[in-house]
Amino acid sequence: MMDSLEAAVNPSTEPLTHLWERAEVVVIGAGISGLTLALRLRQGRSAQSVLLAEASPRVGGCISTQSKNGYRWEEGPNSFTPVPPLLNLIAEVGLAEQLVLADAKLPRYIYWEKELLPVPLSPSAAIGSRLLSVGGKLRALQGLLGFVPPPPGREETVRQFFRRQLGSEVAERLVEPFTSGVYAGDPDQLSALAAFPRVAGLEERYGSLFAGALQALRHRPQPSPVAIQPPPQRGQLGNLRQGLQQLPEAIAQKLGDSLRLGWRAVQLKRDEMGYWVGFKTAEGSRWVVARQVVLALPAPEAASLLQELNPPASRLLAGIPYPPVAVVALAYPQEALPQPLRGFGHLIPRSQGLRTLGTIWASCLFPERSPQGYHCFLSFIGGATDPLIAALSPEERAQIVHAELSQILLTRPVEPIRLGERLWPRAIPQYTLGHRQRMAQLQAYLASQTPGVWVCANYLDGVALGDCVRRAEALAQQLLLQAF
């Protein structure tokens, strides 16, 4: 690196040996990706060879559970799809008995023309649904049978793809609000292949959705083994009794002194000894030298660390947009709500003129989340189509959400119980047009210019918790194989 730095950290200089240490792998960022990666690396190496550093005083990243006065709510992800890698991780860290599953039959609603209309989840429900017109249903059926215009020969946005496949009504009334719910994104900006690879990829691989669906039915893979029995049913969503925060905290317990909290990475250098990561800590500056460095950070933070060593990779990371999203937690007495209140929640198409993206009926999903006689609601506001929401005060955002819930759900005027609000200035990475190509370029730049530096985060190829676990375990396996 630099002579001055080598003098400061040279292990032969006895008074300064506490300023630096060596590790085989340094993982930066203790969200679910970094935690899972560090756990798997520790299992395949000696504990001293792995160091996980986190800038904040807590683990979990965007996973954040809050409790107050008998209520419990999530400020980040609210639940997870119980895929095998995530379930097995939950069991491994001792949380199998803490798993709670929501009723798979809970209806999902779309707020359309001043009504909450259930999302049709079966052919018979689709026939009777008032969410689509007769023409809209016929157009969707035509698309499902494979009678669609050919691909345009260029990458399509989410709206373009689903409008071509299933018609404009499905695109506006179902796909657009679902896109808001998953990505807080703009369907006119997101790439269909990047944001919804399982659906859009069917046409890419088999020529049409219809042909792809037939192939999927014929060659359905055997389910992966799951440590939790009986395995969850299809369509169920999971959480933990004390909230999702239990999972990162349980992983952290397994990591022991490999985890360093309050260590903020500020520099990344390289010399013949390896990669030097500079940290700011409460005790002062610290350096760690390692052969491998994994950036399990949001793209802007990773871009900052790579700015000097790998400018092209840094620019690609800095270009990934993250819109702001606020999570507003409100509660209401049961008597002010429809009876019985039963559902997953509702999403709101942008054409309906409301600012709330959607609301999770948290205490319907997981009944122990609120005191008896009350219901807890988590509303999401902002996103790529309404970034100015970040300029409002928490009180103003709560007022907007309450006014819109009053219009949608409440049966009589009542003041809400304000539980809390969390603004995420950079919430969810947006997989805009060209995202897959840019991520391939990113990996190529890392391999060619900074071999031994890796990225592992939700901006790559999937934002769900299960995606983060899958990706971290795959990278851990790759790193462990390189060690032998």
Side-chain angles (χ1 to χ4, degrees):
M1 196 158 59
M2 302 161 299
D3 291 343
S4 58
L5 176 59
E6 289 182 353
V9 300
N10 192 317
S12 64
T13 309
E14 186 65 28
L16 296 178
T17 55
H18 67 286
L19 294 178
W20 80 293
E21 59 187 289
R22 186 187 299 275
E24 185 68 17
V25 183
V26 173
V27 182
I28 305 173
I32 192 64
S33 298
L35 287 163
T36 303
L37 177 65
L39 178 67
R40 296 293 179 237
L41 290 174
R42 258 183 67 115
Q43 291 169 340
R45 297 173 179 267
S46 66
Q48 292 75 24
S49 69
V50 181
L51 186 148
L52 172 61
E54 166 59 41
S56 76
R58 55 175 289 275
V59 295
C62 65
I63 298 175
S64 176
T65 305
Q66 299 296 322
S67 299
K68 181 171 71 174
N69 300 332
Y71 294 94
R72 180 173 290 113
W73 69 97
E74 307 288 351
E75 293 182 319
N78 182 73
S79 58
F80 55 82
T81 300
V83 294
L86 183 51
L87 286 177
N88 291 336
L89 177 63
I90 287 170
E92 182 182 335
V93 296
L95 295 177
E97 297 300 318
Q98 297 295 309
L99 178 67
V100 291
L101 296 167
D103 183 354
K105 297 179 181 178
L106 285 176
R108 281 81 162 158
Y109 292 95
I110 300 292
Y111 185 67
W112 183 258
E113 294 184 344
K114 303 190 183 304
E115 283 189 86
L116 283 176
L117 300 176
V119 175
L121 299 178
S122 68
S124 59
I127 292 172
S129 174
R130 293 189 291 120
L131 189 55
L132 301 177
S133 69
V134 173
K137 294 172 187 175
L138 290 174
R139 174 62 183 85
L141 177 61
Q142 174 185 325
L144 290 172
L145 293 176
F147 298 102
V148 299
R154 52 175 169 75
E155 187 176 13
E156 292 177 286
T157 66
V158 167
R159 189 186 302 278
Q160 288 168 341
F161 176 82
F162 285 99
R163 186 168 54 198
R164 178 172 62 84
Q165 294 285 345
L166 302 173
S168 59
E169 286 191 16
V170 169
E172 179 186 9
R173 303 179 193 185
L174 289 169
V175 175
E176 179 196 277
F178 183 74
T179 303
S180 294
V182 175
Y183 290 99
D186 182 349
D188 292 315
Q189 300 294 325
L190 295 181
S191 159
L193 279 170
F196 299 104
R198 291 180 184 172
V199 177
L202 291 175
E203 182 181 54
E204 186 181 48
R205 289 192 298 274
Y206 302 108
S208 71
L209 296 188
F210 182 70
L214 287 178
Q215 289 292 328
L217 288 173
R218 290 174 184 164
H219 305 289
R220 183 174 296 175
Q222 291 295 318
S224 301
V226 175
I228 296 176
Q229 296 295 327
Q233 301 173 5
R234 184 178 180 182
Q236 285 188 300
L237 294 174
N239 204 303
L240 299 170
R241 294 193 187 280
Q242 303 302 315
L244 290 179
Q245 186 72 40
Q246 281 187 274
L247 179 56
E249 289 175 353
I251 300 173
Q253 288 293 319
K254 297 280 187 181
L255 292 174
D257 60 5
S258 291
L259 173 64
R260 312 293 173 84
L261 297 177
W263 279 42
R264 182 165 65 90
V266 294
Q267 278 188 286
L268 180 61
K269 306 287 186 181
R270 178 172 55 181
D271 71 1
E272 65 278 1
M273 293 177 64
Y275 288 101
W276 292 84
V277 188
F279 295 94
K280 283 190 175 180
T281 77
E283 292 76 32
S285 297
R286 295 290 185 272
W287 289 88
V288 181
V289 61
R291 193 170 66 88
Q292 312 268 5
V293 175
V294 182
L295 306 179
L297 297 165
E301 283 84 346
S304 178
L305 286 174
L306 286 171
Q307 193 168 7
E308 291 184 25
L309 273 185
N310 197 330
S314 176
R315 286 191 292 270
L316 285 172
L317 289 163
I320 298 174
Y322 283 72
V325 174
V327 182
V328 181
L330 301 178
Y332 295 94
Q334 188 170 307
E335 61 265 21
L337 296 161
Q339 302 296 327
L341 185 68
R342 183 175 181 276
F344 176 95
H346 62 266
L347 295 168
I348 307 171
R350 300 298 80 208
S351 61
Q352 300 308 288
L354 303 182
R355 298 187 79 174
T356 306
L357 299 172
T359 298
I360 294 172
W361 304 357
S363 51
C364 288
L365 271 180
F366 307 110
E368 297 179 358
R369 294 297 170 104
S370 62
Q372 187 172 1
Y374 291 85
H375 278 288
C376 174
F377 299 91
L378 298 179
S379 296
F380 299 82
I381 187 167
T385 59
D386 192 9
L388 296 180
I389 207 74
L392 301 180
S393 68
E395 292 74 20
E396 289 171 319
R397 289 190 288 266
Q399 288 170 4
I400 291 171
V401 168
H402 169 59
E404 296 182 353
L405 283 176
S406 299
Q407 176 181 332
I408 295 170
L409 269 181
L410 298 186
T411 57
R412 65 177 176 84
V414 64
E415 284 300 306
I417 300 170
R418 285 189 58 187
L419 300 175
E421 192 242 33
R422 176 71 177 265
L423 174 66
W424 299 94
R426 295 194 299 256
I428 303 173
Q430 301 295 290
Y431 295 0
T432 54
L433 288 176
H435 181 80
R436 294 196 309 170
Q437 294 85 347
R438 289 191 294 273
M439 293 304 96
Q441 289 176 346
L442 171 65
Q443 300 289 9
Y445 285 137
L446 291 172
S448 63
Q449 298 194 24
T450 46
V453 175
W454 309 82
V455 290
C456 185
N458 66 353
Y459 55 77
L460 289 169
D461 61 351
V463 299
L465 292 183
D467 292 319
C468 294
V469 172
R470 163 189 58 80
R471 195 165 38 236
E473 292 187 338
L475 179 56
Q477 185 175 23
Q478 184 177 354
L479 293 177
L480 289 170
L481 286 173
Q482 288 187 359
F484 299 102

